[in-house]
Amino acid sequence: MKTTFSVFFYLLLAPSVSISQTSADTWSAKFSTGIRVRYTPTINTLTNKGWEYSNGIITHGMEKVFNQVPDSVSYRDYIQAYIDVYVNGSGVISQAIVSLDKAHPAISCLFLYEKLGTAKYQTAATTTRNIFVGASATYPKTAIGNIFWHKNNGLYNNIILIDGVYMLHPFLAKYGSLFGDNAAIDTAVNQTLFIYNQLYDPASHLIRHAWNPTKTEAWADPVTGNSSEVWSRGMGWFTMAMVDILKYVPVAHPKRAQLITALQNLAIGIQTYQDAATGLWYQVVDRGTGLTNNYLETSGSAMFIYTLKTGVDNGWLSNSYLPVAQKAWDFLKNTGNAKITIHTDTYPKINDFCPATGVQTSAANYASLASVDVPGTTHPHGFGAILMAASVMEFPLLSTLPVKFVSLSAKKYSDHTTLFWENEDDAEMNYYEIEKSTTGNSFNSAGKIISNQSKKYKWTDAEYTVNTASYRIKAVMNDGSFEYSNIIAVKNSVPGITSMSVTPNPVTNRIINVSLNGLKPGRYKLTILHSNGLQVFEKNISIANEYVSTEQINLSHAATGNYYIVIHGNGVKLAQNLIVQ
C-alpha cells in the first residue's frame, strides 16, 4: 500500500522592529471599525451603488486590514454581509456586470472563498471571470489592442480609463493564481501593459488618464487619442493595480519583467512630483502650484503610498522609495494637518479629497473639482485609499490578541486523521470547535474540545473521508466571541501518484502546511526560493515507510512576496508557488 507522507512547516516572518502599538490603535482598525459602525447593515448604506466598485473598494480595503489583524472577524462578517446581498446560495450575482466598475466586488468573493471555503463565492468569481476571459466572454473591446471598454452602457464606447485596470485586472490575476488559470493572468498582464504603453509619458514618468482610439471624444488628442492630463487618483488606481497584479504573476511569466519595469518607471515620476513640504501629491500631479486651484489630493496620495511601500516590500522597487512613502504617510496621518481628524462620533474622518469624476477636457477642470468635506460620511474613494495605505504602513506590529493560532497541522493515517493546533494565549478561551467539510461548500461541526489552558491541542477524526476533507478550528472565548483558524485540506493519497499540496495559499498568518503524497522512501531536499531567485531555506529530509514528520522553520529575514517551494530527490522534483502576504 502506498503511504502518504506529510511535512508540515511554519513560515514565521518576524517584524524587523518592535512596535508597542496594538492593532486597535492603528488607523487601519479605527477606520474599519468606524465604517462598520456608521454604515449598517452594509457599506451600501453609504453609497447606494449596489454591486459596484464604490462599495468594493471599501470591502477590499477591509480585506487588507483583516489580513494583518487576524482577530478582526467583524470586518470579515461585514464584507460577507455586503456580498451576500447580491450573491445567492448558488453563487448567482443578482446585478448585471455592464462595466469594469461593476466587476470589482468579485475580488471580495475570492477573499471570502479563501477564508470560508464556501463554493458559492468561487462560483460568483468564475462567473465574473467568464464575462471577460475565455470562449464565452462577451464584454466589448476596442478594435485596436482588444482592450476592455470602461463601461458597456452606450456612453463609454471605445473609452479606456486607467481607473478600470484596478477595477478588474487584480481580480483576474488573483483568480488565475488561485485556480491555475493562465488565461486570466495573461489577460491582466497584457491589457495592463498595453494601456501603460499607450498612455505613459517617458518625459515625466507619469501616465495620462484616458484613451479613445476612435479619437471622437472632446478630450482625445487627434493623433494619439490620449487625454492630456495626469490625474492623481487615476494614476493611483493604475499603480496600485500594478503591484497587486504582480503579487500573482509567476516569476517565469514572459512579461513579468516588463510589468516591473513599467512600475519602476512610474515610481520615478511619483518621486519627482512629490510636494517637498508635505510629501503629498497634487490633484493634477505635474502642475503643482502653477495651476490655479490645484490642491494636495488625499486619495491619490494614499494610493501612491500603498504602491511604493508594496513595491519596496516585494523587491520590485529600490529601498530608496521607502522614505518617499513614509514622508507622505507621516503627513497624512497627523491629525494636526487636518487631513484626517476625529469626528464627534469618536471615529476618524477624511476632510478633503477629489470627488468621483470622469475624464476632463483640461487641467483647469480637474482642479475645479473641489475637495470634499463631508463630516462623518466621507465618500468611499477617500476611505478605500486610506485603508490601503494604512494596511501596508502600519503593519507588521507585535500583537497581543487573545486569539492567535500559532499553528494548525494534520497527520493522515490509513484509518483516521489527527489535527494538531496551538494557540498563543489560552487565558480567555472557553472551547475549540472542530468544523469539517467534505464538499468545499459548507462546514459542519465535527467535534469539540474544552480549553484547558495548555495552548496545545489535538483531535482525531475517526471517520474515513474519500478524496479531500477540509478542516478549520473555531476558537470560542468566554464572552462568546470567536475566531476561525485558516482552512487546512487533507487529501487521501492515490496509489502511484506523487504530488505536493500547500495550504493555505496565499499565506496571511505566516503558517503553511505542505503535504507530500506518494514519495518513495529515500532522501530529499526541500528548498524555499524567493521569486528573485534568492534561496531563503534549505533542509534535507529522509522519507521512510509510514514516516510523518513536523518541521518548524523560522524565516526571520524573509519579506512578503512570491516564493517557490521545491522538493527534489530520487528522480522526483515537485514545485509549488507560494504567496506570502
Side-chain angles (χ1 to χ4, degrees):
M1 181 182 70
K2 295 289 182 181
T3 306
T4 300
F5 306 102
S6 301
V7 178
F8 306 102
F9 60 85
Y10 316 105
L11 299 185
L12 306 177
L13 306 188
S16 58
V17 294
S18 176
I19 305 175
S20 59
Q21 180 186 40
T22 66
S23 62
D25 298 324
T26 64
W27 288 112
S28 301
K30 289 175 181 177
F31 269 104
S32 295
T33 301
I35 291 167
R36 179 179 59 78
V37 171
R38 284 173 182 153
Y39 311 116
T40 59
T42 75
I43 188 60
N44 197 53
T45 302
L46 166 65
T47 70
N48 292 313
K49 294 287 188 178
W51 188 259
E52 198 245 20
Y53 87 96
S54 299
N55 290 318
I57 57 176
I58 299 297
T59 60
H60 188 50
M62 280 191 176
E63 292 173 32
K64 300 289 185 179
V65 176
F66 177 93
N67 286 335
Q68 301 289 357
V69 188
D71 71 322
S72 55
V73 65
S74 61
Y75 306 153
R76 184 198 63 202
D77 291 347
Y78 189 71
I79 296 167
Q80 185 179 13
Y82 164 69
I83 295 295
D84 282 355
V85 171
Y86 305 97
V87 177
N88 70 16
S90 299
V92 176
I93 302 172
S94 62
Q95 294 194 356
I97 299 176
V98 294
S99 68
L100 302 190
D101 293 342
K102 286 187 171 293
H104 186 268
I107 200 165
S108 287
C109 292
L110 294 179
F111 165 79
L112 291 173
Y113 179 74
E114 286 180 294
K115 300 303 177 186
L116 302 173
T118 307
K120 76 170 190 176
Y121 301 120
Q122 180 184 2
T123 300
T126 300
T127 298
T128 304
R129 177 265 187 204
N130 290 343
I131 291 171
F132 298 94
V133 180
S136 62
T138 58
Y139 197 84
K141 302 177 184 178
T142 59
I144 301 172
N146 290 319
I147 305 303
F148 298 128
W149 297 356
H150 190 81
K151 295 183 181 181
N152 182 23
N153 63 357
L155 301 177
Y156 275 72
N157 293 15
N158 287 292
I159 292 178
I160 310 302
L161 309 185
I162 56 177
D163 322 17
V165 176
Y166 184 80
M167 304 309 159
L168 175 66
H169 297 72
F171 160 77
L172 290 179
K174 183 173 182 178
Y175 182 95
S177 177
L178 285 176
F179 304 115
D181 185 348
N182 292 331
I185 294 175
D186 288 345
T187 299
V189 172
N190 292 338
Q191 294 227 353
T192 301
L193 285 174
F194 186 97
I195 293 170
Y196 164 81
N197 289 323
Q198 176 66 37
L199 290 168
Y200 174 65
D201 177 12
S204 64
H205 295 284
L206 300 174
I207 190 167
R208 294 184 175 89
H209 189 188
W211 174 51
N212 172 220
T214 59
K215 309 176 184 65
T216 54
E217 296 296 318
W219 47 261
D221 182 274
V223 177
T224 65
N226 294 345
S227 64
S228 60
E229 304 304 327
V230 180
W231 176 41
S232 62
R233 190 162 70 232
M235 183 169 169
W237 290 127
F238 188 81
T239 58
M240 285 204 307
M242 295 180 83
V243 294
D244 281 356
I245 290 167
L246 273 167
K247 293 174 185 176
Y248 303 105
V249 177
V251 69
H253 193 282
K255 294 185 179 180
R256 179 182 170 84
Q258 294 180 44
L259 203 58
I260 293 174
T261 298
L263 173 65
Q264 293 171 343
N265 287 338
L266 292 173
I268 294 172
I270 292 173
Q271 182 176 28
T272 300
Y273 290 96
Q274 184 179 36
D275 178 61
T278 64
L280 302 187
W281 288 266
Y282 279 89
Q283 162 78 340
V284 183
V285 178
D286 55 343
R287 300 300 183 107
T289 56
L291 174 64
T292 301
N293 296 324
N294 205 13
Y295 57 94
L296 294 169
E297 204 279 316
T298 302
S299 63
S301 295
M303 292 174 179
F304 290 154
I305 291 169
Y306 176 83
T307 297
L308 295 180
K309 181 60 161 57
T310 304
V312 171
D313 286 348
N314 287 277
W316 306 320
L317 296 178
S318 163
N319 288 337
S320 64
Y321 288 104
L322 188 56
V324 179
Q326 190 65 55
K327 182 175 183 178
W329 177 244
D330 287 344
F331 186 89
L332 203 58
K333 70 178 181 177
N334 185 345
T335 55
N337 294 321
K339 290 294 186 182
I340 299 175
T341 55
I342 302 300
H343 189 47
T344 54
D345 65 0
T346 73
Y347 295 111
K349 68 186 182 78
I350 306 168
N351 291 303
D352 62 79
F353 61 92
C354 177
T357 185
V359 189
Q360 303 298 308
T361 56
S362 68
N365 285 352
Y366 280 103
S368 70
L369 298 166
S371 58
V372 176
D373 180 2
V374 187
T377 58
T378 311
H379 290 9
H381 306 83
F383 278 150
I386 291 295
L387 286 172
M388 297 295 287
S391 72
V392 293
M393 296 304 294
E394 296 186 314
F395 297 95
L397 53 78
L398 294 182
S399 177
T400 57
L401 305 174
V403 180
K404 184 176 181 181
F405 285 95
V406 176
S407 64
L408 170 61
S409 62
K411 290 182 180 179
K412 179 64 182 176
Y413 299 93
S414 60
D415 60 350
H416 68 276
T417 300
T418 299
L419 303 183
F420 302 84
W421 68 93
E422 181 178 354
N423 184 28
E424 191 173 82
D425 184 359
D426 250 4
E428 301 298 325
M429 298 310 305
N430 188 341
Y431 64 90
Y432 295 93
E433 184 173 4
I434 300 88
E435 297 186 355
K436 178 180 178 181
S437 173
T438 57
T439 64
N441 185 51
S442 61
F443 284 82
N444 298 305
S445 179
K448 181 177 178 180
I449 293 180
I450 302 299
S451 172
N452 58 15
Q453 280 72 56
S454 67
K455 299 183 181 180
K456 295 183 179 181
Y457 297 86
K458 69 177 182 178
W459 175 85
T460 296
D461 183 4
E463 181 182 0
Y464 179 79
T465 302
V466 177
N467 298 324
T468 301
S470 297
Y471 300 89
R472 66 184 183 188
I473 310 299
K474 180 180 180 180
V476 181
M477 287 169 276
N478 290 327
D479 63 1
S481 61
F482 60 89
E483 176 61 272
Y484 281 108
S485 70
N486 283 314
I487 297 169
I488 181 172
V490 180
K491 296 182 178 181
N492 281 325
S493 61
V494 179
I497 299 297
T498 301
S499 66
M500 174 170 63
S501 62
V502 181
T503 56
N505 190 10
V507 182
T508 57
N509 67 350
R510 304 310 197 252
I511 300 171
I512 65 173
N513 301 298
V514 178
S515 297
L516 305 171
N517 300 315
L519 291 182
K520 296 179 180 179
R523 292 180 60 81
Y524 297 85
K525 180 176 289 186
L526 188 149
T527 56
I528 303 175
L529 306 170
H530 192 272
S531 58
N532 62 15
L534 178 65
Q535 181 173 301
V536 296
F537 179 79
E538 178 180 283
K539 182 178 180 64
N540 292 319
I541 298 174
S542 294
I543 300 293
N545 281 330
E546 304 298 334
Y547 179 81
V548 181
S549 74
T550 300
E551 303 289 339
Q552 187 175 72
I553 297 172
N554 188 336
L555 299 180
S556 58
H557 300 294
T560 57
N562 296 316
Y563 291 81
Y564 287 99
I565 300 172
V566 181
I567 185 154
H568 53 91
N570 279 354
V572 173
K573 184 174 182 179
L574 302 173
Q576 177 78 36
N577 289 332
L578 175 69
I579 300 168
V580 178
Q581 296 181 339

